[in-house]
Every structure is written in structure tokens, then in C-alpha cells.
């Protein structure tokens, strides 16, 4: 088992290395994306255009021997364009199901806030239920199934912002950010002839990925660490700056993410530091600030950071 785990950790390192070849200075985002993938969750990438949101997904998908699908969301996109549609075959005298892009393993939902809520819900049903409904028939999705959605937070004209109940479906929300001058110079050098994404290849098979996801579920998390998660979540529900706190789904998401992160660090147990590191990425998009907090300039990240500072971290296990 130890040799097998070492092999899997080597595969994970190779995936991160592949992404780093394409995305300069985005190692943390690469690690967090893999955390979500191994935890069987989904990621929302939110940032301005041109900072590499789509390229991050493509690099991850190309590193895995999985079926990659892309959905470019537009205002006129229909739910059937996402899930698939049944077409009548006159030769066979029956309807045939033509699968949509959601029936892939790695799905890029590009500019998810540009399509109508009805079409958004077709994708979000699959994310939560791991199946889709077409013409009254329930169709299970492939394993693994991973969605990375992107959206532009600056331009709101002609968009349909995701409501809080749908944001809650994403285990992590990430922001790419601008590169430093040094990183941007290296980026120009790397892409001057051929884009580096053309040179990377798959370093992990689909079966290996599914096996790792199953192993991650068995990562040990002590009851004291679980209580730490509960304490953080409870404080979001009683904070004077927060109108709506984190739901129980958020507690489960933070636990799953912490297990995946611990596994990636080569451990079979979760530390409180794992929870503390991941909490802003898992919890910030699950709260709604009240009007007073918004007017004072507070952000969700700042409120979560303040809650973590005010919450006792379990240092060691007490034995009776």
C-alpha cells in the first residue's frame, strides 16, 4: 500500500509540474485545483479576462488521460446543448440519445454566468447529483467527473450571476490574479515560438485518478479537527457582518478538501493547518455579507480571516 501511495504521489507531482510548464507562477492554483479534483468537487475560477483561467483547465485536462469537453456558455445556449438530446432515427424507428458535453470526465464551463439560469441548472444538476435527466430518463455521468467553471466578475451586462445556492455547489472558488513583471517576461519567452501546452502529455490514467479519489476518502480526520471545522462554520452563522452563514454542505466540503490536501502532502491524516489553509477558498463564496459590512468595504475573505483568527486551533489531542 505504501509503494502504491508513493507512486500516486509521484503522479500528482507530475500533474502539477505539467501545469507549471503552462501557467507561470500559478503553482498554488494548480495544487488547489487538484485538491478539488481529488475531493470529487468542482472549481469556480473568477477573474478578469486573459489571466489564464481557460488555460489552467486545459493544462489539467491534458495531464490526465480523461475525456475533455468544453462548453462555451452564451445567452442562447439551451439545456439540451449541455446534457444532450434524443434524435429520431428513421432507419431504426426509434430515438437515439446524442450525448452532450456534460458526459465528459473533465468539463470546462467557460463563462458560466453568460447563459440563462435554466441552462446553468442543467450543468449544476450534474455537478450535485452525478447524473442528468433527459426526456425523463436519468443518465449517470462518467467517473471521474470534474467541472471547472470560469466567470468574469467585472462585466455584468448581459450576464446571469450565479445565485448563492448554486455557488454552494463549488467546493473551491479561486482567483488567478495578474502575474508579476518577472513572471510575465518568462511567459512571453515561453510562448514566443510554440505554446507550452502543446508539449505536455498525459501523466496519469483515468483508473489511477479514480483510485486516488477513493483513497482520499479514507484519509483519517480526528474528531478535534472536525470540531474545529464546525466551530469555524458556526461562527459564520453568528457573525455581525454576515447576513447568511455557511451551510452544512460547506462543512462537508471543507472536510473533503482537507482530506485531499493532506493526501497530496503524503499524509493519511488531516492536520488543523490543512483546514486553516483551505478555509478561505472553501468558505468565502458561501457567505453573504450584510449591507453595513459591504458599505464599510469589507470583503468575504477578510471576514473569514477574522473568524479564523478568533477561533481556537486544536494543538494536540487530549487523552483522558
Amino acid at each position: 500500500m505504501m509503494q502504491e501511495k508513493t507512486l500516486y504521489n509521484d503522479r500528482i507531482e507530475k500533474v502539477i509540474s505539467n501545469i507549471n510548464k503552462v501557467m507561470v507562477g500559478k503553482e498554488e492554483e494548480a495544487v488547489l485545483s487538484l485538491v478539488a479534483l481529488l475531493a470529487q468537487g468542482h472549481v469556480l475560477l473568477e477573474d478578469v479576462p486573459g489571466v489564464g483561467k481557460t488555460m489552467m483547465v486545459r493544462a489539467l485536462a491534458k495531464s490526465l488521460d480523461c475525456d475533455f469537453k468544453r462548453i462555451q456558455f452564451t445567452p442562447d445556449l439551451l439545456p439540451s446543448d449541455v446534457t444532450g438530446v434524443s434524435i429520431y432515427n428513421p432507419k431504426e424507428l426509434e430515438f437515439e440519445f446524442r450525448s452532450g458535453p456534460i458526459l465528459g470526465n473533465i468539463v470546462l464551463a467557460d463563462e458560466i454566468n453568460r447563459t440563462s439560469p435554466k441552462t446553468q441548472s442543467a450543468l449544476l444538476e450534474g455537478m450535485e447529483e452525478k447524473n442528468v435527466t433527459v426526456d425523463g430518463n436519468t443518465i449517470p455521468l462518467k467517473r471521474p467527473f470534474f467541472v471547472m467553471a470560469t466567470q468574469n466578475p467585472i462585466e455584468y451586462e448581459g450576464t446571469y450571476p450565479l445565485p448563492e445556492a448554486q455557488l454552494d455547489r463549488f467546493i473551491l472558488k479561486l482567483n488567478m490574479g495578474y502575474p508579476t513583471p518577472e513572471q510575465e517576461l518568462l511567459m512571453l519567452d515561453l510562448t514566443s515560438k510554440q505554446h507550452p501546452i502543446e508539449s505536455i502529455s498525459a501523466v496519469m490514467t483515468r483508473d489511477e485518478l479514480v483510485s486516488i479519489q477513493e483513497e482520499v476518502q479514507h484519509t483519517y480526520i480526528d474528531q478535534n479537527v472536525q470540531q474545529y471545522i464546525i466551530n469555524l462554520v458556526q461562527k459564520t452563522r453568528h457573525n455581525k457582518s454576515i447576513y447568511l452563514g455557511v451551510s452544512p454542505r460547506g462543512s462537508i466540503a471543507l472536510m473533503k478538501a482537507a482530506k485531499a490536501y493532506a493526501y497530496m502532502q503524503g499524509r493519511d491524516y488531516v492536520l488543523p493547518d490543512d483546514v486553516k489553509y483551505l478555509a478561505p477558498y472553501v468558505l468565502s463564496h458561501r457567505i453573504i455579507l450584510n449591507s453595513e459590512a459591504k458599505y464599510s468595504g469589507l470583503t468575504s475573505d477578510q471576514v473569514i480571516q477574522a473568524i479564523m483568527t478568533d477561533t481556537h486551533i486544536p494543538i494536540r489531542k487530549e487523552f483522558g
Side-chain angles (χ1 to χ4, degrees):
M1 179 65 70
M2 184 59 68
Q3 290 180 345
E4 187 177 4
K5 188 170 183 178
T6 302
L7 174 64
Y8 284 157
N9 283 335
D10 180 59
R11 292 280 193 272
I12 291 171
E13 288 294 331
K14 287 182 178 179
V15 173
I16 295 173
S17 176
N18 259 5
I19 297 175
N20 289 337
K21 291 176 184 177
V22 177
M23 304 296 300
V24 178
K26 301 299 179 186
E27 184 170 357
E28 184 176 37
E29 287 76 7
V31 169
L32 290 169
S33 296
L34 269 178
V35 166
L37 174 60
L38 299 187
Q40 301 185 53
H42 310 283
V43 174
L44 178 63
L45 292 172
E46 183 178 79
D47 218 317
V48 296
V51 293
K53 299 187 298 295
T54 302
M55 196 57 62
M56 170 71 77
V57 188
R58 288 185 59 196
L60 177 62
K62 200 166 183 182
S63 300
L64 305 170
D65 185 26
C66 292
D67 189 16
F68 172 63
K69 301 291 184 182
R70 174 175 179 165
I71 310 171
Q72 183 63 55
F73 283 95
T74 56
D76 61 345
L77 199 73
L78 299 174
S80 58
D81 295 325
V82 175
T83 59
V85 65
S86 295
I87 300 176
Y88 184 71
N89 185 337
K91 290 185 178 180
E92 302 294 334
L93 300 178
E94 61 182 16
F95 284 91
E96 293 181 351
F97 176 67
R98 301 289 178 88
S99 62
I102 198 173
L103 272 296
N105 294 122
I106 309 294
V107 179
L108 167 59
D110 214 359
E111 296 188 287
I112 189 173
N113 58 333
R114 288 205 171 275
T115 195
S116 67
K118 186 176 182 180
T119 305
Q120 289 174 358
S121 66
L123 174 69
L124 294 164
E125 177 199 353
M127 290 169 54
E128 181 67 19
E129 307 296 336
K130 299 295 188 289
N131 57 58
V132 293
T133 304
V134 179
D135 295 334
N137 299 317
T138 300
I139 303 169
L141 300 180
K142 296 180 180 179
R143 289 190 65 197
F145 175 65
F146 179 59
V147 174
M148 290 190 80
T150 71
Q151 70 175 6
N152 176 7
I154 304 300
E155 187 179 343
Y156 288 104
E157 185 176 350
T159 63
Y160 303 86
L162 293 175
E164 283 66 29
Q166 294 180 353
L167 282 174
D168 207 30
R169 308 287 176 92
F170 293 95
I171 193 170
L172 299 175
K173 181 182 177 183
L174 305 178
N175 299 92
M176 301 295 290
Y178 286 118
T180 65
E182 295 76 18
Q183 291 169 347
E184 198 159 2
L185 181 61
L186 178 58
M187 195 183 304
L188 293 179
D189 184 55
L190 290 173
T191 57
S192 60
K193 294 181 181 179
Q194 184 187 42
H195 200 288
I197 198 169
E198 304 299 332
S199 63
I200 65 174
S201 56
V203 294
M204 183 186 295
T205 67
R206 184 182 315 176
D207 290 339
E208 285 175 337
L209 177 54
V210 171
S211 295
I212 293 174
Q213 288 179 329
E214 291 174 351
E215 275 197 20
V216 163
Q217 295 180 40
H218 295 95
T219 302
Y220 174 74
I221 179 166
D222 189 78
Q223 193 169 13
N224 286 328
V225 181
Q226 291 179 332
Q227 188 61 53
Y228 178 47
I229 293 174
I230 298 302
N231 292 343
L232 288 172
V233 169
Q234 285 289 332
K235 287 192 176 184
T236 67
R237 299 170 188 168
H238 302 96
N239 188 283
K240 64 179 183 179
S241 298
I242 298 177
Y243 171 71
L244 181 66
V246 176
S247 69
R249 183 187 287 158
S251 306
I252 296 170
L254 184 51
M255 180 185 68
K256 288 182 175 180
K259 284 185 173 185
Y261 185 71
Y263 184 93
M264 289 177 62
Q265 302 304 308
R267 287 183 271 106
D268 59 0
Y269 56 91
V270 176
L271 294 175
D273 283 344
D274 300 331
V275 175
K276 185 177 179 181
Y277 171 65
L278 292 167
Y281 302 104
V282 178
L283 304 182
S284 294
H285 64 287
R286 301 175 190 272
I287 63 174
I288 302 177
L289 300 183
N290 58 33
S291 300
E292 184 179 349
K294 291 178 181 177
Y295 290 147
S296 63
L298 281 176
T299 64
S300 297
D301 285 335
Q302 290 173 335
V303 174
I304 294 297
Q305 289 289 351
I307 288 174
M308 288 194 299
T309 302
D310 189 49
T311 305
H312 172 71
I313 302 173
I315 304 299
R316 61 186 178 88
K317 185 173 181 179
E318 300 291 343
F319 294 92

